[in-house]
Amino acid sequence: MSRYIVELFGIPRQLARATEVELELPPGATFGEAVAALGRKVPALMGRVIAEDGTSLIEPYALNLNGRAFVQSLEVRLGAGDRIVLMTRSAGG
Amino acid sequence: MDKATGMVLCLDLSRRKAELRALPPSYLRDYLGGVGLAARLLFDYCPAGADPLGPENPLIFAASALAGTMVPTANKHAVAARSPLTGFIGDSLSSGAWSLALRRAGPDALVITGAAAELTYLFIDNGTAHFRDARHLAGKGSAETEEAIRREIGDERVRVATIGPGGENLVRYACIGNDVNRQAGRTGMGAVMGAKRLKAVVVRGTGAVPVADLAALEKACSALYKKAQTAATEKYRVLGTPANVLAFNRLGALPTRNFQSSTFEGAEAVSGEHLLNYLCKVVACTGCPIACEHVYQAKDGPYAGIKAQVDYETLYALGPMCGVSYAPAIIKAAELCDHYGIDSISGGVSISWAMECFEKGLLTSKDTEGLELRFGNHEALLKAIEMIGLRRGLGDLLAEGVKRASAKLGKGSEHWAMHAKGLELPGYEPRSLKTQGLGFAVGTRGGCHNRSPAYEVDMSGKVDRFKGERGRGQPTMEQEDFAATIDSLTLCKFLRRCFNDFYAETAQLYTMVTGLQMTPEELKRAGERISNLKKAFNIREGWSRADDTLPPRVLHDPLPDGAGRGSVLSQDELNLMVGDYYEARGWTRDGLIPREKLQKLGLEDVAPQIGAPNAAKIRGL
């Protein structure tokens, strides 16, 4: 198993009461598997940030890889040492 | 006064005359309301080359057909004039009950021309316009002016749009406040009002607002109100827009110390999460189910008891940009901006520019009345806001905005004057959000995330946000046209994710309210028309391709830190994207609008005024 850090921002952080969560996933796991594992580890996110079936994020939440690229497909595989950033796409103000 | 839609009230301050005129019937379909209607009336009433601070520059206020109805978030009004800050189109939007009162009073829009001999306020009392002496209100802040006028008229229901001392003193980015916490903030509409010696526009409206199909509207709005309580808006409701701070910091997109870096070591201390410790109340604009306005109160220390509504842009400009991480000082700074009636973005960015000048030795304590105007000095920040509002000392220079101030100071300070077309940049780092950089460069009112929300493209996952390339023109145009549409319907952008099909659903809402059969395609075309009309105004006022650019710092200085470390938005990248954008728009390579394009959009009357080129001839050449 490999360890991955999910950094939480905004509402996900408020719901989880944590700035980050550590996940243990099989090597080469996908972002989708990470979302499902996150839902199991932090049930407060279910139905608010993660869809009830655990397979996807609720709009407008999005995943970002290492603070750089926003993830378009949950089929993409994680690399060793990747950090997952969970935030909303909604900006403005 | 007739309560039907389609009327504009023209008010001449020089002659103290009011006249109700019918709008051309096509305007409510072609330009909708809000920003679109205001832009069209500005084009019609503003003589080419008008001095922005002269009596000939008309000041337009426009509501929309949806304002005053049950459509959620629709109570907004636009203000337009030739901007004294940019010299191009000035348009700004505010929310609250002022637009509702205007619609209840009758007209869709006001066109205010001329200038009063003495400080005056206008009181539009349903069908009658009164020109009232406002000399006793001189120097009063926005909130105290609202209160004083309500007391004077003896009616809590009157709604007041007012300038503060900043507008009276012609600060080029003075705003117009209403409902205490709301402002038509950008492009200096308050300075235009001050130049007219117009302290306030007060409205009492007690009539009904017409709705064509009330039953259908009730059903549609009921669904929208429910959607507005879902995840689509939760961030705004719980944390408010200051939630952006930590996310942007992580993305390397939080401009800090005058864009010298893109992360702020004090981000946690000024984050939306931390500010909950200071939360005093959450307020909604009239008719808004989202309620994003977070009002904070300093609890202790030198600013104990001070309250202000602080949104992300205010926070960015008065916090990270000035290197200030002491939250109570930011609350106080926001309160001062509201009091003086100055745009907190332009004010904060101007002070940030001056702080960099001071640290580099271009300004000394002799220039600043002894102020140590260094990044992080929150006491100096507060003093500088006051100096700007009163145009005192260095404040007189900073009240001109960074474009003029840097041109006057020189010594290379233009390099870090962070503006596009003279409008100070909002809190989105263009070197790590390069589509947004394009949006800033081509924006008709200058660098603005509201009129050109191209950050949506950067955050979509569909593009590499650190790359400037072909293909960004089309989505940037679509975001601009979307913004033009929603700002003209006068719906809040925070409602945008509550629609499955924005154009289809809002076209239906517009039809339900007005009775005009509006299709999604017509509505989308209206957005494109409005964007082109605003560009046409700028062309008439001397725009050239050289105006569609970004500050030298963005083009030359690599980001030193954060997720975007090493990134610049090069001149080549910008040229590529700007050219691609013109092509997507159907404009010439020089960014001019061909006659045929204007004809397609129903803007043929505009062509002679801007010397529109003939596209076929251009291709032939």
Side-chain angles (χ1 to χ4, degrees), chain B residues 162-449:
Chain B
T162 182
I163 57 172
E168 291 177 50
N169 293 322
L170 308 185
V171 174
R172 285 186 187 271
Y173 43 83
C175 60
I176 302 171
N178 62 280
D179 293 27
V180 181
N181 288 323
R182 305 308 303 171
Q183 291 87 23
R186 306 235 68 192
T187 67
M189 297 297 94
V192 176
M193 201 154 147
K196 293 184 178 305
R197 287 180 282 283
L198 178 60
K199 180 69 177 173
V201 182
V202 184
V203 185
R204 176 161 56 195
T206 55
V209 174
V211 170
D213 188 345
L214 192 58
L217 189 68
E218 275 178 354
K219 196 174 167 190
C221 289
S222 171
L224 262 181
Y225 273 91
K226 281 181 190 151
K227 282 188 190 169
Q229 298 303 314
T230 63
T233 63
E234 190 168 17
K235 165 190 158 179
Y236 305 118
R237 287 182 282 116
V238 175
L239 291 165
T241 57
N244 291 351
V245 170
L246 290 180
F248 281 25
N249 197 51
R250 183 65 178 94
L251 296 174
L254 178 65
T256 297
R257 293 187 179 84
N258 202 30
F259 286 75
Q260 292 186 88
S261 59
S262 62
T263 64
F264 184 42
E265 72 284 357
E268 284 282 351
V270 299
S271 65
E273 288 83 345
H274 179 73
L275 283 173
L276 289 179
N277 294 315
Y278 299 92
L279 187 63
C280 171
K281 59 181 174 178
V282 177
V283 183
C285 296
T286 309
C288 173
I290 299 172
C292 71
E293 288 179 38
H294 284 50
V295 179
Y296 305 105
Q297 182 170 25
K299 290 176 184 168
D300 45 33
Y303 314 117
I306 297 294
K307 285 184 203 172
Q309 189 243 324
V310 184
D311 63 19
Y312 168 68
E313 291 300 339
T314 296
L315 190 55
Y316 132 81
L318 303 173
M321 274 293 273
C322 293
V324 171
S325 57
Y326 181 44
I330 297 173
I331 296 169
K332 175 64 184 171
E335 188 244 7
L336 279 178
C337 287
D338 290 351
H339 169 79
Y340 286 107
I342 60 174
D343 172 12
S344 54
I345 301 178
S346 287
V349 174
S350 297
I351 293 167
S352 178
W353 169 84
M355 285 175 162
E356 187 168 350
C357 291
F358 189 90
E359 292 202 343
K360 287 188 158 82
L362 275 61
L363 293 172
T364 67
S365 54
K366 198 177 160 190
D367 302 306
T368 63
E369 296 183 8
L371 276 187
E372 281 291 303
L373 200 56
R374 295 183 185 281
F375 290 110
N377 184 347
H378 63 79
E379 287 164 348
L381 164 69
L382 301 179
K383 203 74 187 163
I385 294 170
E386 185 185 322
M387 290 164 79
I388 290 170
L390 299 174
R391 269 193 180 268
R392 201 187 67 217
L394 180 67
D396 193 41
L397 179 71
L398 300 184
E400 293 290 289
V402 294
K403 184 181 177 183
R404 284 180 177 80
S406 63
K408 190 167 181 186
L409 182 66
K411 302 176 187 172
S413 65
E414 300 91 338
H415 186 84
W416 59 83
M418 303 309 294
H419 70 90
K421 294 189 183 70
L423 185 68
E424 286 73 17
L425 296 185
Y428 295 75
E429 172 53 70
R431 287 165 287 187
S432 53
L433 298 166
K434 290 191 175 176
T435 323
Q436 183 60 72
L438 170 63
F440 287 159
V442 298
T444 49
R445 79 167 181 178
C448 176
H449 67 295

Side-chain angles (χ1 to χ4, degrees), chain B residues 118-135:
Chain B
E118 300 282 357
L119 198 63
T120 296
Y121 76 82
L122 282 167
F123 177 31
I124 297 155
D125 189 6
N126 284 302
T128 311
H130 305 274
F131 297 77
R132 291 194 166 181
D133 188 351
R135 282 176 293 180

Side-chain angles (χ1 to χ4, degrees), chain A residues 7-15 19 47-49 58-73 83-93, chain B residues 231-232 234-236 238-239 241 243-244 246-248 250-251 268 273 276 311-313 428 449-450 455-456 458-462 464-466 494 496-497 563-565:
Chain A
E7 300 175 27
L8 305 172
F9 289 90
I11 296 299
R13 181 183 287 200
Q14 296 297 106
L15 291 171
T19 57
R48 300 278 291 275
V49 176
I58 294 170
E59 269 294 314
Y61 294 103
L63 296 178
N64 178 287
L65 185 58
N66 301 317
R68 286 189 62 91
F70 280 89
V71 177
Q72 213 181 344
S73 166
R83 291 179 77 89
I84 305 165
V85 180
L86 174 56
M87 59 174 61
T88 171
R89 290 187 210 277
S90 291
Chain B
E234 190 168 17
K235 165 190 158 179
Y236 305 118
V238 175
L239 291 165
T241 57
N244 291 351
L246 290 180
F248 281 25
R250 183 65 178 94
L251 296 174
E268 284 282 351
E273 288 83 345
L276 289 179
D311 63 19
Y312 168 68
E313 291 300 339
Y428 295 75
H449 67 295
N450 267 324
Y455 60 82
E456 293 269 1
D458 290 311
M459 295 171 77
S460 67
K462 294 175 184 168
D464 180 349
R465 65 191 174 94
F466 296 103
F494 296 167
R496 67 193 183 281
R497 296 187 196 280
R565 186 174 181 170

